[in-house]
């Protein structure tokens, strides 16, 4: 790896104000805006609207200070509604009709799986704001900024066995179609790192199921820690179900459970104690690393969530790549800029962001863990937990 680069949107503003604030040149005006796309689940069963909204805030701020060499960024966001047909149609419209030079800040349950092959065929590269499906981390044309659910799962298991020192670690996951193989690879990665095996592993839980039967089974197995992949609503159900069964274990969830609502509802139910991993600097903390992000989200009226952190970072890194281009900004030059991008160190992320020419990308290998205490999330690992290489 090359030398890391420390950056922030504020730094971009400073560098942009000298080059572009004096007005748009004739050449820049003739070239038109730089079109950047995103495909997100803005509506549907699992919406992620904050990611692309945060990315737009970054691009708007860059535009307000002169753009990229006098050219404004036109950000075009499509809603896939978690529908694969809509995701495919959106990609073809953005790439073939709108002529986007790249993608930044997308967040969807399935967009990567649907469109990765098309992006490769068309030479389109994407910085995903929130990568979810396995292909987001296994494509030469996509590099997500978040840790993702698979490394996040390994991090949760590692936190249980190596930080909390639990010897009987269990895992109960909701069975999401297309995710099973990647989840099992996450467990295998933990075993390769630690040499340990799960005491109990269950992936039979449906998204609408009551987890009580699995919790009873975990109790019989003597589980000391249970790692699960519940979303916000699931995490609340889990906390209450564990309390109802009188099972005192370390409950560890993925980033999707790290919300203010989970903390408040579990506190009201007397079911606190859940841990969650934060893929970025914990957004509910008062960390100075969040200063630029928080100010921009407040100004743009974007809800401050982990998803908004992902979109902000994706757009920030995309702009960094754009600023390295000498000459016309085209799909081809953007691709080249991303592929030669030096690893970027940012205070909101525990490991440098990179793209490069690999066949797969998952540069964010770091987490911080938070726990619900007295009705709010508290950071329990102030230092980044960076997964060792197996």
């Amino acid at each position: 790896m090359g030398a890391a680069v420390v950056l922030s949107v504020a730094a971009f503003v400073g560098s942009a104000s000298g080059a572009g604030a004096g007005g748009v040149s004739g050449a820049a005006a003739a070239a038109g805006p730089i079109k950047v796309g995103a495909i997100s689940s803005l509506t549907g069963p699992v919406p992620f609207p904050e990611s692309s909204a945060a990315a737009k805030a970054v691009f708007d701020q860059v535009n307000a200070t002169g753009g990229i060499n006098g050219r404004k960024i036109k950000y075009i966001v499509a809603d896939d509604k978690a529908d694969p047909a809509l995701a495919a149609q959106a990609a073809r419209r953005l790439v073939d009709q709108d002529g986007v030079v790249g993608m930044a800040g997308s967040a969807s349950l399935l967009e990567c799986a649907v469109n990765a092959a098309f992006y490769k065929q068309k030479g389109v590269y994407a910085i995903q704001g929130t990568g979810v499906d396995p292909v987001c981390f296994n494509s030469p044309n996509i590099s997500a900024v978040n840790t993702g659910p698979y490394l996040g799962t390994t991090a949760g298991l590692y936190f249980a066995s190596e930080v909390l020192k639990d010897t009987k670690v269990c895992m109960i996951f909701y069975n999401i179609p297309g995710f099973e193989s990647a989840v099992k690879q996450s467990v295998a990665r933990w075993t390769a790192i630690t040499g340990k095996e799960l005491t109990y592993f269950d992936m039979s839980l449906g998204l609408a199921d009551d987890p009580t039967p699995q919790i009873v089974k975990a109790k019989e197995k003597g589980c000391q820690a249970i790692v699960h992949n519940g979303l916000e609503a699931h995490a609340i159900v889990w906390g209450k179900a564990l309390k109802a069964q009188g099972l005192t274990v370390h409950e560890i969830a993925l980033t999707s459970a790290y919300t203010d609502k989970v903390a408040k509802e579990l506190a009201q139910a007397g079911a606190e104690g859940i841990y969650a991993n934060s893929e970025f600097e914990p957004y509910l903390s008062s960390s100075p690393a969040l200063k630029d992000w928080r100010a921009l989200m407040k100004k743009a009226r974007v809800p401050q969530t982990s998803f908004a952190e992902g979109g902000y970072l994706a757009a920030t890194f995309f702009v960094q790549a754009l600023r390295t281009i000498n000459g016309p900004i085209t799909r081809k030059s953007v691709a080249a800029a991303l592929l030669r991008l030096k690893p970027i160190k940012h205070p909101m992320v525990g490991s440098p962001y990179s793209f490069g020419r690999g066949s797969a990308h998952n540069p964010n290998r770091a987490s911080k863990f938070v726990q619900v205490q007295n009705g709010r999330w508290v950071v329990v690992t102030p230092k980044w937990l960076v997964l060792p290489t197996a």
Side-chain angles (χ1 to χ4, degrees), residues 232 235-236 240 257-274 283-284 371-377:
E232 181 183 68
I236 295 168
K240 294 177 179 178
Y258 175 39
T259 71
D260 197 43
K261 182 178 180 180
V262 168
K264 290 178 179 176
E265 292 212 15
L266 290 182
Q268 290 172 358
E272 296 188 315
I274 183 175
Y283 76 94
L284 289 171
Q371 183 184 30
V372 175
Q373 299 177 9
N374 301 316
R376 66 188 185 92
W377 289 98

Side-chain angles (χ1 to χ4, degrees), residues 71-225:
R71 292 182 65 188
K72 301 295 180 66
I73 297 171
K74 183 177 180 179
Y75 190 45
I76 309 171
V77 182
D79 181 8
D80 71 9
K81 302 180 182 181
D83 182 322
L86 292 179
Q89 292 169 11
R92 281 144 185 82
R93 185 171 64 251
L94 288 168
V95 173
D96 291 336
Q97 296 180 27
D98 295 323
V100 299
V101 298
M103 309 286 287
S106 300
S108 165
L109 275 180
L110 47 75
E111 197 270 321
C112 297
V114 171
N115 292 322
F118 177 68
Y119 292 156
K120 185 177 181 181
Q121 175 192 353
K122 295 289 186 175
V124 173
Y125 285 77
I127 299 182
Q128 208 78 2
T130 302
V132 182
D133 70 70
V135 181
C136 292
F137 308 94
N138 290 285
S139 166
N141 288 61
I142 301 171
S143 180
V145 299
N146 62 321
T147 310
Y150 312 105
L151 273 184
T153 297
T154 305
L157 295 170
Y158 186 85
F159 176 70
S161 66
E162 308 307 309
V163 179
L164 299 177
K165 304 297 183 184
D166 291 321
T167 57
K168 291 190 174 182
V169 178
C170 302
M171 190 166 138
I172 300 172
F173 262 39
Y174 292 93
N175 191 356
I176 302 173
F179 286 38
E180 182 173 352
S181 175
V183 170
K184 289 181 177 178
Q185 289 176 28
S186 302
V187 177
R189 187 181 300 115
W190 169 70
T191 296
I193 293 171
T194 64
K196 299 172 182 175
E197 301 283 347
L198 289 174
T199 297
Y200 172 51
F201 181 27
D202 189 318
M203 281 196 72
S204 65
L205 200 57
L207 286 171
D209 290 347
D210 178 353
T212 298
Q214 283 79 9
I215 289 173
V216 171
K217 189 73 173 179
K219 192 174 183 179
E220 294 172 357
K221 294 287 186 180
C223 298
Q224 296 171 319

Side-chain angles (χ1 to χ4, degrees), residues 159 164 250-253 273-277 369-372 377 380:
F159 176 70
L164 299 177
H250 291 135
E251 178 192 2
I252 301 161
I274 183 175
Y275 294 94
N277 80 333
F369 281 83
V370 292
Q371 183 184 30
V372 175
W377 289 98
V380 295

Side-chain angles (χ1 to χ4, degrees), residues 9 11-25 28 32-34 58-74 318-320 322-324 329:
V9 170
F12 290 141
V13 172
S15 64
S17 59
V24 179
S25 70
I34 302 165
V58 173
F59 293 141
D60 286 347
Q61 179 151 308
V62 171
N63 288 340
T65 54
I68 307 292
N69 295 328
R71 292 182 65 188
K72 301 295 180 66
I73 297 171
K74 183 177 180 179
F318 196 88
V319 169
Q320 170 71 1
L322 291 179
R323 292 202 183 284
T324 67
I329 296 177

Side-chain angles (χ1 to χ4, degrees), residues 9 57-58 61 292-301 312:
V9 170
V58 173
Q61 179 151 308
D292 289 340
W293 169 77
R294 197 181 299 287
L296 185 59
M297 295 304 102
K298 184 177 180 180
K299 180 180 178 183
R301 299 183 179 181
Y312 167 91

